[in-house]
Amino acid sequence: MPRIDDGVAWLAVRVEDRIVLGDHTLVTARVEHGETSRLTPLLHWRRDFHSPNPIASSI
């Protein structure tokens, strides 16, 4: 299965359904396997890129 080098996470899925919605198709899938890395994700929010702040532990 091809993966993006240095990706933060990946999922292997099985397509469950395809629903035509006008000129779009909504694809639903069931996750069969996935992995994450320790890399920091890059988020796009309000037209800019951000790195999330760690959540402080309350313990």
Side-chain angles (χ1 to χ4, degrees):
M1 169 177 291
R3 297 184 208 162
I4 298 173
D5 290 338
D6 297 325
V8 176
W10 68 270
L11 299 173
V13 301
R14 180 184 51 187
V15 173
E16 295 279 315
D17 200 6
R18 291 176 180 88
I19 305 164
V20 176
L21 301 167
D23 61 349
H24 292 72
T25 301
L26 173 67
V27 178
T28 61
R30 181 176 304 274
V31 176
E32 294 187 337
H33 185 75
E35 291 182 13
T36 60
S37 72
R38 294 191 176 272
L39 297 172
T40 302
L42 182 63
L43 306 174
H44 189 262
W45 181 62
R46 292 190 174 177
R47 298 183 179 196
D48 201 3
F49 291 96
H50 305 272
S51 291
N53 296 327
I55 298 173
S57 174
S58 61
I59 298 176

